[in-house]
Amino acid sequence: MKLLAALETQTQLLKIKQEINQKVKSDIDQQQREYYLNNQLRTIQEELGMDEEEEFEKFRARAKEKKWPEAVAAQFEKELSKLEKYNPSSPDYSIQYNYIEFMLDLPWGEMSKDNLDLKHAQKVLDADHYGLETVKDRIIEYLAVLKLKGNMKSPILCLYGPPGVGKTSLGKSVARALGRKYVRIALGGMHDEAELRGHRKTYVGALPGRILSGIQKAGTSNPVIVLDEIDKVGADYKGDPSSALLEVLDPEQNVAFHDNYLDIDYDLSNVLFITTANTVSTVQSALLDRMELINVTGYLAEEKMEIAKKYLVPKQLQEHGIAKKSLRIDKAALAAIIDEYTHESGVRGLEKQIAKIARVTAKKIALEQEWPPVIKKEHLKEYLGLPTNIHDLQKGNEAPGVVTGLAWTQMGGEILFVESSVSSGKGVMTMTGNLGDVMKESATIAYQYIKAHPELALMTAEDFAAKDIHVHVPEGAVPKDGPSAGITMVSSMVSALRGRKVKSGIAMTGEMTLRGRVLPVGGIKEKILAAKRAGVKEIVISEDNRKDVEDIKPVYVEGLSFHYVKTIEDVISEIFD
């Protein structure tokens, strides 16, 4: 029994020893297998130039050169450690890898040196754009402060005005004048705020927002970013990008701009944002409050002539491969193109007509036909066809009841005719001409004012009650609305009721109240340009608009006389000979 017990003990000991040996052997085999496979993998990666360890070391070396805050450095190290733990074949690896690369590609506090030579900046701006003094002065002011202070929060400038006046290209000129990188972001039709702020990197196909992507491409923290067409940002169930822009375009908030993809605050205060818009009426009021509005108005015919000679003709000749000596457009021909073939505040249409002349000339040169080296007015019919711009010349003296008004549109200023006719009836007023609610209200107020003061029309109340008035604004297919036709409506009705024509060459703009006061209106400069184009000599305008007229450069108001009025009685006394 003793022998058996001893043997059993020995047997158990041997069994345990054997189990331990077996386990150790399998562990060593597993380690050797992993070591072998890892060596194989490393060799393959080296062959393919994919050495992970080397890649991570490169990341760390690049990170050391970055001028980023401590919080960002700690976040980077944390994200890199996370990447090192991932299996290269897992889908999360590539997401994390792209994120680390984006972090390293962003310029953290890396600035391009500003060219603070104000004379150079003025030269660049003058060379690229004719006129636009207000905008140029504002840029020079910004540079002057930057030169004195050495550092400042960049302002947010909003250039608004009709199409084709050079708002977007001004941004490029500003970048050139400052010696900064230029980034343009088109906002037209954007309806998802994630396009600006980025998607969280947990989403499939997540990308950083357009703002940080632009800065990454620029490679500096202080580029000039032009946000084009800010008035055409959409909004739907996905979000409202214009609300996302509130953070971007606020100098107090954009010091810590939060992009969803990056998930770390980024300083945008050194970026010079320039936004462009055709009209500011559709832009959120909170967004307008954050921007400095600069009105880029339309050009006079004389300014268009200079722009065509200095910029458009040489540019189109170069683009069509025509030598400067081979083609020239004389002054009279240019004046005729501006006057008879274009109808706009900007110069885009003018450029198209010059391009058409260049194309026809290029065809003649290619076919070895004869062509006139100097395009004169008589050649325009052959090159451009019949004139397309039938002049809305002032027609105020052709019949009683016809009065010229001045209107503002997104395309600039326009002249507008209001016609009234009187017939025997029961004191009814009819309105036609596709008028909006505000304009209909102006006509109703004008009618009720004359009804209350029939002496204006040299009538008694009984005579007035026996007359029907029809008010019509021609071009019935075009919708018309706005708050500046009041005095035009009342003048038209009084002229028709008196049976007297208004003075030749007179136009007017202003709103009226039921008490007969004349109120000021906006868009004065555009309206004055439209009046000049149409051959108007006198303008009736509210006394409160005097300051707007005095603000305008004398060259714009040359040849015009202004009648400043306070009441409807003043208006009526000015419009008849």
Side-chain angles (χ1 to χ4, degrees), residues 351-366:
E351 188 170 10
K352 284 175 191 167
Q353 299 298 344
I354 292 167
K356 198 171 177 183
I357 292 173
R359 276 199 307 276
V360 176
T361 307
K363 185 180 84 173
K364 289 188 173 188
I365 293 170

Side-chain angles (χ1 to χ4, degrees), residues 253-316:
Q253 291 179 34
N254 67 13
V255 176
F257 171 67
H258 190 85
D259 185 275
N260 292 330
Y261 181 81
L262 183 64
D263 209 20
I264 304 169
D265 289 344
Y266 190 86
D267 184 0
L268 292 180
S269 63
N270 296 302
V271 177
L272 176 55
F273 285 104
I274 296 177
T275 64
T276 74
N278 292 135
T279 172
V280 289
S281 58
T282 55
V283 182
Q284 261 196 49
S285 55
L287 195 52
L288 282 181
D289 187 47
R290 285 160 164 80
M291 301 187 290
E292 191 176 326
L293 300 178
I294 298 175
N295 189 3
V296 185
T297 49
Y299 296 111
L300 284 170
E302 294 83 354
E303 288 179 317
K304 286 184 183 179
M305 177 80 81
E306 289 300 319
I307 291 166
K309 282 197 292 191
K310 287 184 182 175
Y311 306 98
L312 306 182
V313 174
K315 180 185 168 189
Q316 289 306 324

Side-chain angles (χ1 to χ4, degrees), residues 36-326:
Y36 173 69
L37 286 173
N38 277 329
N39 273 357
Q40 265 195 329
L41 182 62
R42 195 170 285 115
T43 310
I44 291 165
Q45 284 176 338
E46 278 174 12
E47 286 294 317
L48 294 171
M50 289 166 56
D51 187 357
E52 274 178 63
E53 292 299 325
E54 198 180 312
E55 197 75 41
F56 297 149
E57 286 313 310
K58 278 183 186 171
F59 282 161
R60 283 201 170 87
R62 281 176 67 189
K64 277 178 189 169
E65 293 169 13
K66 289 283 169 188
K67 299 173 186 170
W68 48 28
E70 281 179 26
V72 180
Q75 178 78 7
F76 172 78
E77 192 53 50
K78 186 179 161 191
E79 297 291 340
L80 189 56
S81 302
K82 211 185 281 183
L83 179 67
E84 286 174 326
K85 288 172 189 157
Y86 284 142
N87 187 327
S89 57
S90 83
D92 289 339
Y93 183 87
S94 60
I95 293 169
Q96 190 68 6
Y97 188 91
N98 289 340
Y99 175 74
I100 296 274
E101 279 216 307
F102 179 68
M103 263 187 98
L104 288 167
D105 284 345
L106 271 178
W108 297 85
E110 292 156 36
M111 314 272 189
S112 59
K113 198 169 185 300
D114 284 328
N115 184 347
L116 298 174
D117 182 350
L118 302 190
K119 287 178 181 171
H120 162 78
Q122 188 72 56
K123 268 184 198 169
V124 169
L125 293 170
D126 287 341
D128 289 355
H129 291 88
Y130 184 84
L132 308 178
E133 268 72 26
T134 316
V135 195
K136 291 176 182 175
D137 287 349
R138 183 64 191 85
I139 300 303
I140 298 298
E141 284 166 18
Y142 168 66
L143 271 177
V145 176
L146 202 60
K147 188 172 185 176
L148 296 177
K149 193 175 175 227
N151 178 29
M152 68 177 289
K153 282 179 183 172
S154 295
I156 317 290
L157 306 178
C158 176
L159 310 177
Y160 72 98
V165 292
K167 299 183 296 295
T168 307
S169 59
L170 249 166
K172 200 179 271 188
S173 296
V174 169
R176 204 159 76 83
L178 284 165
R180 290 190 183 186
K181 296 281 191 218
Y182 168 75
V183 178
R184 178 179 166 270
I185 298 172
L187 299 178
M190 188 182 283
H191 58 79
D192 187 357
E193 56 107 16
E195 285 191 52
L196 286 170
R197 276 224 188 102
H199 303 79
R200 299 202 176 282
K201 66 174 189 286
T202 49
Y203 288 112
V204 176
L207 287 169
R210 300 272 291 276
I211 303 285
L212 284 194
S213 293
I215 287 175
Q216 180 197 3
K217 281 176 195 159
T220 64
S221 290
N222 63 339
V224 172
I225 295 185
V226 173
L227 299 170
D228 226 356
E229 311 293 2
I230 200 168
D231 55 328
K232 296 175 185 65
V233 172
D236 62 6
Y237 66 93
K238 288 181 183 173
D240 179 8
S242 62
S243 299
L245 281 168
L246 293 175
E247 184 189 3
V248 178
L249 299 179
D250 188 338
E252 297 301 319
Q253 291 179 34
N254 67 13
V255 176
F257 171 67
H258 190 85
D259 185 275
N260 292 330
Y261 181 81
L262 183 64
D263 209 20
I264 304 169
D265 289 344
Y266 190 86
D267 184 0
L268 292 180
S269 63
N270 296 302
V271 177
L272 176 55
F273 285 104
I274 296 177
T275 64
T276 74
N278 292 135
T279 172
V280 289
S281 58
T282 55
V283 182
Q284 261 196 49
S285 55
L287 195 52
L288 282 181
D289 187 47
R290 285 160 164 80
M291 301 187 290
E292 191 176 326
L293 300 178
I294 298 175
N295 189 3
V296 185
T297 49
Y299 296 111
L300 284 170
E302 294 83 354
E303 288 179 317
K304 286 184 183 179
M305 177 80 81
E306 289 300 319
I307 291 166
K309 282 197 292 191
K310 287 184 182 175
Y311 306 98
L312 306 182
V313 174
K315 180 185 168 189
Q316 289 306 324
L317 292 183
Q318 189 182 347
E319 284 188 6
H320 290 82
I322 301 168
K324 283 183 183 178
K325 293 174 187 173
S326 304

Side-chain angles (χ1 to χ4, degrees), residues 406-470:
L406 299 172
W408 179 90
T409 70
Q410 287 188 25
M411 302 298 287
E414 296 281 349
I415 67 165
L416 191 83
F417 301 110
V418 177
E419 302 175 349
S420 295
S421 68
V422 177
S423 56
S424 299
K426 297 176 181 176
V428 177
M429 182 184 67
T430 318
M431 288 173 276
T432 53
N434 201 347
L435 306 181
D437 290 341
V438 180
M439 224 159 167
K440 282 179 182 170
E441 284 175 7
S442 292
T444 308
I445 291 167
Y447 178 76
Q448 292 297 342
Y449 185 79
I450 299 169
K451 192 175 182 179
H453 303 84
E455 65 276 6
L456 266 185
L458 308 180
M459 302 172 92
T460 62
E462 291 76 25
D463 292 340
F464 184 78
K467 297 286 183 190
D468 283 353
I469 297 181
H470 183 146

